[in-house]
Amino acid sequence: MAGNQLALTNVINISVSEAQAGVGAYNTSNLAIFSHETYDEDTFGDDGYKIYLSPIEVGEDFGTDSQTYAQAVAVFSQKPNILAGGGYLVVIPMIPEVQTITLSGIPASGAMKLNFGSDITGFINWDDTEAEVQAAVRTLEGLESAEVTGTPVSQLITITFRGYYGPAALITVSDENYLTAGSGAITTTVAQVTDGEDMNAAVVRTADLVQYFGLMATLILGQADMLEVAATVQALNKIAFFVSDDAASVEPGGYLDLLRTGGFTQSRGLYYGSDGDSDALNMMSAYAGRGLSVNFSGSN
């Protein structure tokens, strides 16, 4: 009969609470931070997420002056925290908007300005370097961390909206007067290559990419975005954390009260009065770090 026995190495463990999906076993102590901030692609890797057991590597990837790092510190500073239940922190960068500016010819003279929102750059000259074009783009509000490749002479300028949250309006061009060496007029065309990802789109994209139970963002979401994420999470076996620093948000009919009246039982709305968003976001992270610290494998 020994030949008919199944070796223990062939036994596969399954979860009765939820089918395991993505990297990491199902665990209510697994917490995700969805980050809109820039990071070091060389150290972070190209998986689209990274799992951490301490804030040290978060600081190495995102910088110790980042909001992502501050929230990771808040998560792991709790006693107990998510590690007590065998959990981890996963950071998921949201995919940034990418736009291109294409020139119809090679300029030999002239310049242009770029407009975004109510801001406008100084002149971008025909012979500006890539670094000079990037410096000009970074003067636009919201694009202080944008990454630029290409120059007017290369006829293609690609702008990656790093540090910008969600979809963006198209950049527009004004005061353009580029000319070719033969004095031919040059036209510019702006196009969207990649639509910037908001938090809801990021949750939908990653729900089966890597396992996480709790989730939160590195910025205070607007009302529409919050309710969209709450509706998505309501259909998943996950819990979302949101925070506001506006006292009116917890009043009847307020921003956070809509979670209650909308029946979003798998979302938690938190209020923290502060002068800056960072303090409120850090409080939310501390709350989540403590709240998901329960170890359900104990005898009690």
Side-chain angles (χ1 to χ4, degrees):
M1 294 295 293
N4 295 325
Q5 292 178 352
L6 182 65
L8 289 177
T9 55
N10 290 326
V11 175
I12 300 174
N13 293 320
I14 62 172
S15 169
V16 296
S17 59
E18 181 181 70
Q20 297 180 20
V23 173
Y26 177 77
N27 188 333
T28 57
S29 295
N30 292 344
L31 177 61
I33 293 178
F34 285 82
S35 177
H36 71 296
E37 296 186 301
T38 59
Y39 58 91
D40 188 328
E41 296 183 12
D42 292 334
T43 59
F44 188 86
D46 56 6
D47 290 329
Y49 64 87
K50 188 171 180 178
I51 291 173
Y52 301 92
L53 299 179
S54 83
I56 296 174
E57 285 188 333
V58 179
E60 293 173 351
D61 291 340
F62 288 84
T64 54
D65 58 348
S66 67
Q67 182 59 42
T68 308
Y69 172 73
Q71 289 181 228
V73 170
V75 167
F76 288 113
S77 293
Q78 304 312 302
K79 295 183 179 181
N81 59 43
I82 55 176
L83 298 179
Y88 56 65
L89 177 69
V90 56
V91 177
I92 301 172
M94 290 177 269
I95 296 172
E97 176 99 4
V98 179
Q99 295 183 15
T100 58
I101 303 172
T102 305
L103 281 68
S104 63
I106 300 174
S109 64
M112 68 175 175
K113 293 181 180 179
L114 301 181
N115 306 267
F116 185 66
S118 60
D119 280 358
I120 185 168
T121 67
F123 278 111
I124 297 175
N125 296 310
W126 70 275
D127 57 351
D128 275 354
T129 65
E130 189 171 88
E132 288 171 328
V133 177
Q134 178 170 278
V137 170
R138 288 184 173 184
T139 64
L140 299 169
E141 184 177 359
L143 301 186
E144 296 85 356
S145 299
E147 179 182 288
V148 173
T149 58
T151 65
V153 170
S154 73
Q155 296 182 253
L156 179 64
I157 298 171
T158 301
I159 304 173
T160 302
F161 288 45
R162 299 200 185 280
Y164 187 89
Y165 172 76
L170 277 181
I171 286 175
T172 58
V173 178
S174 63
D175 296 325
E176 59 177 320
N177 56 12
Y178 290 132
L179 296 173
T180 66
S183 298
I186 293 175
T187 59
T188 56
T189 304
V190 182
Q192 182 190 59
V193 176
T194 303
D195 197 14
E197 196 172 53
D198 60 20
M199 186 174 177
N200 188 67
V203 172
V204 171
R205 175 176 60 86
T206 62
D208 294 323
L209 176 66
V210 58
Q211 202 286 316
Y212 53 86
F213 178 70
L215 56 127
M216 57 188 172
T218 50
L219 73 169
I220 296 179
L221 299 182
Q223 178 176 301
D225 277 3
M226 178 195 71
L227 294 177
E228 190 176 27
V229 173
T232 295
V233 170
Q234 191 67 20
L236 303 172
N237 196 13
K238 302 182 187 298
I239 185 169
F241 300 95
F242 305 102
V243 71
S244 170
D245 54 10
D246 180 4
S249 65
V250 293
E251 298 294 331
Y255 166 82
L256 292 177
D257 188 55
L258 295 177
L259 294 173
R260 176 184 65 83
T261 58
F264 297 116
T265 56
Q266 291 178 210
S267 293
R268 298 293 179 268
L270 309 170
Y271 164 70
Y272 185 83
S274 63
D275 294 331
D277 291 355
S278 183
D279 288 341
L281 291 164
N282 294 342
M283 184 280 290
M284 173 183 65
S285 303
Y287 177 94
R290 176 64 68 86
L292 299 186
S293 66
V294 177
N295 183 350
F296 290 103
S297 64
S299 59
N300 293 325

